[in-house]
Amino acid sequence: APGVENPQRAHLNWMLHCQGCHRPDATGTPPGTPAMAGDVALFLQVEGGREYLTRVPGVANAALPDDQLAELLNWTLSTFDGAHLPADFTPYSAEELSAGRKRPFVSEATQIRAALREKFPVDVKTGNAQEGSGE
Amino acid sequence: MKDFDKLSEIAVRGLARFSSRRGVLASLGGLLGGGAFFPALPVARAQEGSGSGYPGVAPQSTGNPEDPGDPASCDYWRYCAIDGFLCSCCGGSQSACPPGTEMSPITWIGTCTNPADGKRYIISYNDCCGKPACGRCLCNRNEGERPMTRPQSNNDINWCLGTSTAAYTCSTAVIIGVALEQ
Amino acid sequence: MKDFDKLSEIAVRGLARFSSRRGVLASLGGLLGGGAFFPALPVARAQEGSGSGYPGVAPQSTGNPEDPGDPASCDYWRYCAIDGFLCSCCGGSQSACPPGTEMSPITWIGTCTNPADGKRYIISYNDCCGKPACGRCLCNRNEGERPMTRPQSNNDINWCLGTSTAAYTCSTAVIIGVALEQ
Amino acid sequence: MAFRRRGRLMGMVGAAALSGWALAPAMAELPIEPTPNVLSLPSDYPDSWVYLVDSNFFGIESGKVIIADVGAESHQMKGEIGYAQFGFFTQAKTRPETYVVETFYSRGSRGQRTDVISIYDNASLLSTGEIILEGNKRAQILSEPGAFQLSHDERFAYLFYFTPAASVGVIDLVNRKVVNEIDIPGCAHAYALKDYGFASLCGNGSVVTTRLDSNGKLVSQTMSEPFNDIDADPMYSRGEVINGVGYFPTYGGSVQPIDFSGDTAVVGKLWKLSADEGDAKDSKRLFGLLKSKPKGSWLPSGWQLMTSDDEGRLYVIMRANATMDDHDTGGGEVWVFNPKTHELVQTIELDAESSLIEVTHGADPYLVALRPDQSVDVYKAKTGEWIRNIGGGMLLTSFSAQAAN
Amino acid sequence: MAFRRRGRLMGMVGAAALSGWALAPAMAELPIEPTPNVLSLPSDYPDSWVYLVDSNFFGIESGKVIIADVGAESHQMKGEIGYAQFGFFTQAKTRPETYVVETFYSRGSRGQRTDVISIYDNASLLSTGEIILEGNKRAQILSEPGAFQLSHDERFAYLFYFTPAASVGVIDLVNRKVVNEIDIPGCAHAYALKDYGFASLCGNGSVVTTRLDSNGKLVSQTMSEPFNDIDADPMYSRGEVINGVGYFPTYGGSVQPIDFSGDTAVVGKLWKLSADEGDAKDSKRLFGLLKSKPKGSWLPSGWQLMTSDDEGRLYVIMRANATMDDHDTGGGEVWVFNPKTHELVQTIELDAESSLIEVTHGADPYLVALRPDQSVDVYKAKTGEWIRNIGGGMLLTSFSAQAAN
């Protein structure tokens, strides 16, 4: 997968840092912990979405170095929503994560998410329109 | 004070594995009416291999030499950061919930070292939910446990989340992967 | 079997007054995890006047020499047929309910002899209701107690009847009269 | 053991293993385990299984019924179901179901009261339904066998109500609804009779028979002559039913049989729980365990102080140097009688005094005896041999147990 | 004693008394006692009173908060209120009220869930109302101080929600309704700030300030720089607030102050819990109890491991030979610090290891320490003198205590 140097490591980091709350298959517990499976890559298709994914608290606060965090985010996008991954997807870099996680969202994450999701393509937006802030 | 000591510190075989390395739950003598325990007593017994360490709880085995130890003992390797009643003692197993409960899909995750192969396994501490608290084999270990600010590494939360009721029954320790060498 | 004895019968200061003359509740060691009690131990202590007989429960006095004994002890004369947690140990007294509970107006009645005057007093065992079970000073004595077929003389009923909730908290022993000489 | 094992493995892979787990990947890893993973039980429980009922006086809202395999060497606890606020428990034979009569408040120990019969499936231990008991009349007492019984065909349950007015609820378990309430003023309990009806024990020392039709409607109610002097030698209100006959001990050490196998309760002849009759019939002492007892000093004592085995023997907890006020205390021996011949066929010395015994079903049954610490000792019933102790905080305050059907 | 007393009385009435109680009527009888009779408490509790909070893990539906006078020679238990299913407890200063956050199911441990804040009157201990928490989001965790706090004017309560999404409920206690819910993703708890607002501790080692207006609406949310390395030396999420400053121990033995007294949480300078600084200032050792400690082997440990007295001293449970994985275990000594000068002013050797301490209000306060058997030992805080033990089955599994205001 693009930007995933070590898929095994990425999966283990998913287990250790994400799946407890997001569940092993990234279906989450909406609305507080929204599902990522099947739509998380759509954030890459809307303006601001790419940055949002570097600043959302679950990503920003993860106890991982920047490079492993970038790998984990890339792995998450291709593993749980590969179908929506843009053909020209540029994998996240350590530097990009380092910049984003320095400015984590807090409660505004919910509103920002909702605004971004408004811009999602209509067919998927209506199919999975849960709002939440956890991530 | 001396008299008090005499009265209060008559030893009793304990509720849990009271290792001095164990956490706040392990310090629960839980003796109604004021019995006291000596931390050394049950620990010594378990180390001598004389049982699970819980009086009245029979030792168990996985049957697999690669998964050594007694799943009915707080010493069992997978329980390195568990906090609660061991499902193994409650009608479940180290990786399965007792009949009639629901296994929480939302958990906290830790890593423990298997003494048989020396590998660090990723352990999901799934709580079992929906029946009264089991009451057997209270065990608390905190290896690598972190504060509430990092919930995914915290065992002081009732992890009966995403289940039809949040009533806590007991805790499992499920292998979900093997950690990478570092 | 010998080993088992050694492990299980290490003495513990007990939950209740475990006189050999006491009933089924008195036999509740109630020690989570399998502690055992020796009936003789707390009894001996109480007889030596060293306390209420309940470890961690301070002795009380009515202040009236005509009403002798310790209302926080299962030995207290009025408790000759009580069954439950003593309200004296729970924020109430031998004749009053703890704050926030409701005294049941429906009770069972027995008679006990006051050792100070030798008279047989009629005792109403009013239960106090509406808070969680107190858990302190579990006491069961059955002098003159009769089967469920004669409920007015039976202490195995939750007498929280006629109250806004039937949840049992603790039991009192209220003087409501003096029995006629026989 | 874990470390011994490790040592052996390291030996096998040779000296290189001493450098630690760097070489471990060469060995097979433990497999990833599936979630969710919830165990289930057979619908028909083996003979060695017992329901251990915990009232939990230290958290009365939080009682439980534990299902235990007392014959197993490990994993004895098989599961549990709830049992709130002075519950009653019984099991069906003809359906894979158990029933718990329990009480809930909307706010724990306050608020709105709801009485229900909770119905559980044997295999899943899930609640498969409930019957709400309107009026909140059910008796809240320490569990006694007569307080909650099933009709012989298991269509009806008979449930003792006490408000303190005494009555019996008739509950249709097939259609899961309350169908009648029969007053039994001055009496208690409902021992199932033949077809539809029940017997209640009364404060005047008599027994009342209530006959019902197939809709649970009252057909007749008849009272026997008083036969028990409740002042002088009261009969326990807890009896053990063997082949339709209830055996009720008295505080003074006799047994009062009452035949419940017909349409009307028939009072039998009182007999004495003593070694005397047995002494006359040495040939019937099956297990060689009988000892000579000091006469007059042993009395029945305990809460669930009687039980029976499939061969119809009656087990009674006996207390040495007892008085009548010790009736609920428990004792250090179990005496086993042939209730037809009244002879003492066996005595079992308990490892600890007990107030609760139960014997499992089967040809070589187990005797379960509650210890004061609320763990249970398991004996071979036929020999009195102590087998094991099961505890570990499983029970907090237990007053009843039932062998699984 | 009763019988000795009787003997003396008999002596007084002379030899005729030997014939028994036939002569007794000549003496005054004990009076008939009134029913119903229910005690009440003062609205303002004395300084020596403490709330002892029992989670009761052996019956989680049946927890309770016990009100105890730890300074009394007898009658220490004054009363109790319910505390169901991983509750939280706090008390008001400006109203004679206490609050319990608790969870109920319609069928004990199953059925419909209801989360409420139960409100109790100090004097009657009766429930005077409740606030239903829709959505059932409240965190069910072992009680931590930041999980349930009141605003300084006690108008609002701040309550930690965890589903596992993290947020804070803002509850208007005057109008008894929930007025807002503020997301705090990746963070936990709500330590009250000046006026309206709260601080939360975050998973990246920072603290977030949430400011509210007088209607409980969000004004702003700001995050500090990360200051705590949760991997290397995590700060406990349990802090003790003294004069508006929260003191948070770290697993590795330091203290991180965070000033909550203003509108924004201000992170202070980390200092070490050690005897070293105190050693340099012998003149300030007030009670002569200080001993030289083996350096590096003592770490803070316990659940409620910190408390303070009215003079602002900070009490910390310390464990010998501890590692960071012992953080929740408890320890055998209490070290008392001046949190401004960081000097160790006193050490108290406990009679038994403890995981929970609390100090009462007043000039000569009591130190309460939970024993492993769940009874509490009471010491004079200023001298470390052991005074008494209070137990008897009062607590089953306790994780918090609060001195009465």
Side-chain angles (χ1 to χ4, degrees):
Chain A
V4 181
E5 183 193 331
N6 183 340
Q8 189 191 5
R9 177 175 65 195
H11 188 197
L12 293 170
N13 281 330
W14 167 262
M15 289 181 184
L16 284 168
H17 301 282
C18 310
Q19 83 165 45
C21 295
H22 285 279
R23 308 196 185 207
D25 58 0
T27 52
T29 308
T33 315
M36 290 189 284
D39 83 350
V40 66
L42 289 168
F43 283 98
L44 300 171
Q45 297 185 16
V46 301
E47 188 180 350
R50 184 176 175 104
E51 181 188 343
Y52 169 80
L53 291 180
T54 68
R55 297 176 62 189
V56 73
V59 173
N61 289 346
L64 285 171
D66 295 335
D67 56 346
Q68 287 192 43
L69 187 60
E71 177 185 79
L72 171 56
L73 180 52
N74 292 327
W75 180 89
T76 300
L77 289 161
S78 57
T79 302
F80 296 116
D81 197 22
H84 290 125
L85 203 63
D88 59 349
F89 171 57
T90 306
Y92 283 97
S93 67
E95 293 70 27
E96 193 175 5
L97 266 297
S98 174
R101 72 191 303 186
K102 285 196 174 77
R103 301 179 298 139
F105 295 126
V106 191
S107 66
E108 67 272 28
T110 307
Q111 289 82 1
I112 293 167
R113 163 195 299 281
L116 292 171
R117 291 185 58 86
E118 276 304 309
K119 302 183 209 162
F120 279 12
V122 173
D123 57 328
V124 286
K125 180 175 67 183
T126 52
N128 189 9
Q130 284 114 352
E131 294 306 324
S133 60
E135 229 153 288
Chain B
M1 193 65 189
K2 274 278 172 276
D3 277 355
F4 169 75
D5 282 350
K6 240 189 310 183
L7 293 172
S8 68
E9 299 199 343
I10 298 166
V12 59
R13 54 185 191 149
L15 164 67
R17 282 276 288 94
F18 296 120
S19 156
S20 61
R21 288 167 41 256
R22 300 292 147 73
V24 64
L25 273 178
S27 77
L28 295 175
L31 304 171
L32 311 175
F37 68 84
F38 286 126
L41 182 64
V43 173
R45 289 185 51 215
Q47 285 171 347
E48 289 158 16
S50 63
S52 68
Y54 299 104
V57 175
Q60 299 177 8
S61 164
T62 64
N64 177 3
E66 303 304 318
D67 186 356
D70 176 358
S73 162
C74 195
D75 283 335
Y76 181 53
W77 67 274
R78 294 190 196 190
Y79 300 151
C80 75
I82 207 168
D83 188 351
F85 302 111
L86 303 178
C87 289
S88 297
C89 304
C90 302
S93 75
Q94 62 275 28
S95 60
C97 286
T101 66
E102 190 179 357
M103 184 177 260
S104 172
I106 298 171
T107 71
W108 80 276
I109 312 278
T111 60
C112 301
T113 301
N114 178 349
D117 60 16
K119 291 182 187 170
R120 282 172 55 239
Y121 285 83
I122 303 179
I123 305 295
S124 174
Y125 292 99
N126 297 67
D127 283 347
C128 304
C129 317
K131 297 292 185 202
C134 157
R136 270 189 128 194
C137 300
L138 186 57
C139 172
N140 180 224
R141 292 167 61 186
N142 291 299
E143 296 167 31
E145 200 248 5
R146 285 296 173 267
M148 209 72 74
T149 40
R150 191 175 283 173
Q152 68 272 26
S153 303
N154 182 276
N155 67 15
D156 303 308
I157 293 167
N158 173 12
W159 281 97
C160 284
L161 296 168
T163 45
S164 58
T165 97
Y168 171 78
T169 305
C170 62
S171 298
T172 64
V174 181
I175 294 175
I176 61 167
V178 182
L180 288 177
E181 300 173 33
Q182 288 174 329
Chain C
M1 192 66 189
K2 275 277 171 275
D3 278 353
F4 170 75
D5 282 351
K6 240 189 309 183
L7 292 173
S8 67
E9 299 199 343
I10 298 166
V12 60
R13 52 184 192 151
L15 165 66
R17 280 277 286 94
F18 295 120
S19 154
S20 61
R21 289 165 41 254
R22 300 293 148 72
V24 65
L25 273 179
S27 76
L28 295 175
L31 303 172
L32 311 176
F37 68 83
F38 285 128
L41 182 64
V43 172
R45 288 186 50 217
Q47 285 172 345
E48 289 157 16
S50 63
S52 68
Y54 298 104
V57 176
Q60 298 178 8
S61 164
T62 64
N64 177 1
E66 303 304 318
D67 186 355
D70 176 358
S73 163
C74 195
D75 283 336
Y76 181 52
W77 66 274
R78 296 190 194 189
Y79 299 152
C80 76
I82 207 166
D83 188 351
F85 301 111
L86 303 179
C87 289
S88 297
C89 304
C90 302
S93 76
Q94 62 276 27
S95 59
C97 286
T101 65
E102 191 179 356
M103 185 178 260
S104 172
I106 299 171
T107 73
W108 81 278
I109 311 282
T111 61
C112 302
T113 301
N114 178 350
D117 62 14
K119 290 183 188 170
R120 285 172 52 240
Y121 285 83
I122 303 177
I123 305 295
S124 173
Y125 292 101
N126 296 66
D127 282 346
C128 304
C129 317
K131 296 292 185 204
C134 157
R136 267 189 131 195
C137 302
L138 186 56
C139 172
N140 180 225
R141 292 167 60 186
N142 291 299
E143 296 166 31
E145 200 249 7
R146 286 297 174 264
M148 209 73 73
T149 40
R150 191 176 281 176
Q152 67 274 25
S153 304
N154 182 277
N155 65 15
D156 303 308
I157 292 167
N158 173 12
W159 281 97
C160 286
L161 296 168
T163 46
S164 58
T165 98
Y168 170 79
T169 305
C170 62
S171 297
T172 65
V174 181
I175 294 174
I176 60 168
V178 181
L180 289 177
E181 299 174 31
Q182 288 174 329
Chain D
M1 184 249 168
F3 286 94
R4 266 187 278 121
R5 172 84 208 147
R6 188 186 185 182
R8 191 154 57 82
L9 281 174
M10 286 166 69
M12 290 187 327
V13 295
L18 292 172
S19 64
W21 51 270
L23 286 188
M27 294 161 53
E29 287 168 0
L30 293 178
I32 288 170
E33 295 165 336
T35 57
N37 183 2
V38 180
L39 301 185
S40 62
L41 301 176
S43 281
D44 285 324
Y45 293 170
D47 281 343
S48 58
W49 289 25
V50 176
Y51 297 95
L52 303 169
V53 182
D54 181 15
S55 297
N56 192 357
F57 274 16
F58 303 97
I60 301 179
E61 298 91 339
S62 313
K64 53 190 189 281
V65 178
I66 285 167
I67 296 136
D69 181 353
V70 301
E73 292 193 359
S74 72
H75 296 82
Q76 291 106 349
M77 179 168 170
K78 310 309 286 185
E80 53 159 327
I81 55 179
Y83 182 87
Q85 298 264 5
F86 296 93
F88 300 143
F89 168 85
T90 200
Q91 54 182 321
K93 288 183 174 73
T94 61
R95 292 180 293 269
E97 277 183 359
T98 58
Y99 308 96
V100 177
V101 180
E102 50 188 345
T103 294
F104 302 102
Y105 295 95
S106 57
R107 297 293 179 267
S109 53
R110 58 191 170 87
Q112 182 75 30
R113 173 174 172 178
T114 307
D115 286 358
V116 302
I117 300 180
S118 302
I119 304 170
Y120 289 92
D121 173 66
N122 284 3
S124 70
L125 298 187
L126 291 171
S127 166
T128 58
E130 68 178 18
I131 302 167
I132 291 188
L133 304 168
E134 303 286 351
N136 298 327
K137 295 181 170 184
R138 80 158 186 98
Q140 288 197 356
I141 59 172
L142 294 189
S143 172
E144 300 203 333
F148 184 45
Q149 296 225 337
L150 305 187
S151 63
H152 287 183
D153 65 355
E154 301 192 333
R155 174 167 162 206
F156 291 137
Y158 308 125
L159 174 60
F160 181 40
Y161 291 175
F162 183 76
T163 68
S167 58
V168 172
V170 181
I171 296 111
D172 182 332
L173 292 176
V174 176
N175 297 300
R176 296 190 175 179
K177 60 178 183 185
V178 180
V179 295
N180 205 355
E181 179 186 346
I182 310 282
D183 290 334
I184 52 164
C187 308
H189 295 336
Y191 285 89
L193 294 167
K194 190 181 168 216
D195 298 334
Y196 300 127
F198 54 84
S200 307
L201 308 172
C202 300
N204 67 347
S206 73
V207 58
V208 154
T209 293
T210 299
R211 295 183 63 182
L212 305 173
D213 68 14
S214 61
N215 297 313
K217 291 269 184 319
L218 180 65
V219 170
S220 65
Q221 215 169 28
T222 52
M223 183 177 272
S224 78
E225 289 296 310
F227 58 89
N228 177 238
D229 184 338
I230 295 181
D231 290 306
D233 185 16
M235 190 178 100
Y236 284 80
S237 40
R238 305 184 287 278
E240 173 68 12
V241 178
I242 304 175
N243 298 323
V245 178
Y247 295 92
F248 294 85
T250 71
Y251 291 11
S254 296
V255 171
Q256 175 64 60
I258 307 177
D259 190 343
F260 298 131
S261 67
D263 286 331
T264 301
V266 177
V267 177
K269 189 170 167 293
L270 195 76
W271 53 276
K272 194 81 187 159
L273 284 170
S274 95
D276 297 355
E277 300 197 42
D279 284 344
K281 300 181 185 179
D282 258 21
S283 63
K284 299 244 180 124
R285 290 184 204 163
L286 297 180
F287 308 110
L289 293 166
L290 188 65
K291 300 181 213 169
S292 153
K293 300 289 166 197
K295 286 190 184 66
S297 62
W298 289 85
L299 288 178
S301 182
W303 189 256
Q304 182 167 312
L305 74 162
M306 285 184 137
T307 184
S308 60
D309 63 25
D310 286 353
E311 295 179 40
R313 284 183 288 244
L314 182 68
Y315 296 67
V316 189
I317 301 173
M318 301 295 286
R319 179 173 191 81
N321 305 313
T323 74
M324 280 199 354
D325 289 338
D326 294 323
H327 50 273
D328 290 346
T329 306
E333 295 199 1
V334 172
W335 291 11
V336 187
F337 292 88
N338 177 331
K340 290 182 178 154
T341 64
H342 312 166
E343 73 183 323
L344 176 64
V345 294
Q346 183 187 359
T347 70
I348 298 168
E349 266 190 82
L350 297 176
D351 189 63
E353 284 194 3
S354 180
S355 59
L356 187 168
I357 54 172
E358 179 66 345
V359 169
T360 62
H361 288 290
D364 189 13
Y366 297 98
L367 168 69
V368 177
L370 184 73
R371 292 180 75 97
D373 68 3
Q374 305 294 292
S375 68
V376 295
D377 282 333
V378 181
Y379 303 80
K380 283 277 190 185
K382 291 208 164 175
T383 63
E385 180 197 0
W386 183 92
I387 301 291
R388 65 178 54 89
N389 174 261
I390 308 172
M394 190 169 58
L395 302 171
L396 296 162
T397 54
S398 179
F399 292 93
S400 69
Q402 281 187 33
N405 283 329
Chain E
M1 185 247 168
F3 286 93
R4 266 188 278 122
R5 171 88 208 143
R6 188 185 184 183
R8 190 155 58 84
L9 281 174
M10 286 168 67
M12 289 188 328
V13 296
L18 292 172
S19 65
W21 51 270
L23 284 189
M27 296 161 53
E29 288 169 356
L30 292 178
I32 288 172
E33 295 165 334
T35 58
N37 183 2
V38 179
L39 300 186
S40 61
L41 301 177
S43 280
D44 286 324
Y45 294 171
D47 280 343
S48 58
W49 288 25
V50 175
Y51 296 94
L52 303 168
V53 181
D54 182 14
S55 297
N56 193 357
F57 275 15
F58 303 97
I60 300 180
E61 298 92 337
S62 312
K64 53 190 189 280
V65 178
I66 286 167
I67 295 137
D69 182 353
V70 300
E73 291 193 359
S74 72
H75 296 81
Q76 291 107 347
M77 179 168 169
K78 310 310 286 184
E80 54 159 326
I81 56 179
Y83 181 87
Q85 297 264 4
F86 296 93
F88 300 144
F89 169 84
T90 200
Q91 53 182 323
K93 288 182 175 73
T94 60
R95 292 181 292 269
E97 278 182 359
T98 58
Y99 309 97
V100 177
V101 180
E102 49 189 345
T103 294
F104 302 102
Y105 294 94
S106 57
R107 297 293 179 266
S109 53
R110 59 191 168 89
Q112 183 74 32
R113 173 175 172 177
T114 307
D115 286 358
V116 302
I117 300 180
S118 301
I119 305 170
Y120 289 92
D121 174 65
N122 284 2
S124 70
L125 296 188
L126 290 172
S127 166
T128 58
E130 69 178 17
I131 302 167
I132 291 190
L133 304 168
E134 304 287 351
N136 298 327
K137 295 181 172 185
R138 82 160 186 95
Q140 288 196 357
I141 58 172
L142 294 190
S143 173
E144 300 204 333
F148 184 44
Q149 296 225 338
L150 305 187
S151 63
H152 287 183
D153 65 355
E154 302 192 333
R155 176 167 160 205
F156 291 137
Y158 308 125
L159 174 60
F160 181 41
Y161 292 174
F162 184 77
T163 68
S167 57
V168 172
V170 180
I171 296 112
D172 182 333
L173 292 175
V174 177
N175 297 301
R176 296 191 176 180
K177 61 177 182 184
V178 180
V179 294
N180 205 354
E181 179 187 347
I182 310 282
D183 291 331
I184 52 163
C187 309
H189 296 337
Y191 285 89
L193 294 167
K194 189 180 170 221
D195 298 333
Y196 300 127
F198 54 84
S200 307
L201 308 173
C202 299
N204 66 346
S206 72
V207 58
V208 155
T209 292
T210 299
R211 295 183 63 182
L212 305 173
D213 68 15
S214 61
N215 297 314
K217 291 268 185 317
L218 179 67
V219 170
S220 66
Q221 210 169 33
T222 52
M223 181 177 272
S224 78
E225 289 296 309
F227 58 89
N228 179 237
D229 184 337
I230 296 181
D231 290 304
D233 185 16
M235 192 177 97
Y236 285 80
S237 40
R238 305 184 286 279
E240 173 69 11
V241 178
I242 305 176
N243 298 322
V245 178
Y247 295 92
F248 295 85
T250 71
Y251 290 12
S254 297
V255 171
Q256 174 65 61
I258 306 177
D259 190 342
F260 299 132
S261 66
D263 285 331
T264 300
V266 177
V267 178
K269 189 170 166 294
L270 194 76
W271 52 277
K272 195 83 188 158
L273 284 170
S274 95
D276 298 351
E277 301 197 41
D279 284 345
K281 300 180 186 180
D282 257 22
S283 63
K284 299 244 181 123
R285 289 184 205 163
L286 297 180
F287 309 109
L289 292 167
L290 188 64
K291 299 182 217 168
S292 152
K293 299 291 167 196
K295 286 191 183 65
S297 61
W298 289 84
L299 289 178
S301 182
W303 190 256
Q304 182 168 312
L305 74 162
M306 284 183 139
T307 184
S308 59
D309 61 26
D310 286 353
E311 296 179 39
R313 282 183 288 244
L314 182 67
Y315 296 68
V316 189
I317 301 174
M318 300 295 285
R319 178 172 191 81
N321 304 315
T323 74
M324 279 198 359
D325 288 339
D326 293 324
H327 50 273
D328 290 347
T329 306
E333 295 198 2
V334 172
W335 292 10
V336 187
F337 292 88
N338 177 330
K340 290 181 180 157
T341 64
H342 312 166
E343 74 184 322
L344 176 65
V345 295
Q346 183 188 358
T347 69
I348 298 168
E349 265 190 83
L350 297 175
D351 189 63
E353 282 193 5
S354 180
S355 59
L356 187 168
I357 53 172
E358 178 65 345
V359 169
T360 62
H361 289 290
D364 189 13
Y366 296 98
L367 168 70
V368 177
L370 184 73
R371 292 179 74 96
D373 68 2
Q374 304 294 294
S375 68
V376 294
D377 282 334
V378 182
Y379 303 80
K380 283 277 191 185
K382 291 208 165 176
T383 63
E385 180 197 0
W386 183 92
I387 301 290
R388 64 177 55 88
N389 174 262
I390 307 173
M394 189 169 58
L395 301 171
L396 296 162
T397 55
S398 179
F399 293 93
S400 69
Q402 281 187 34
N405 284 330

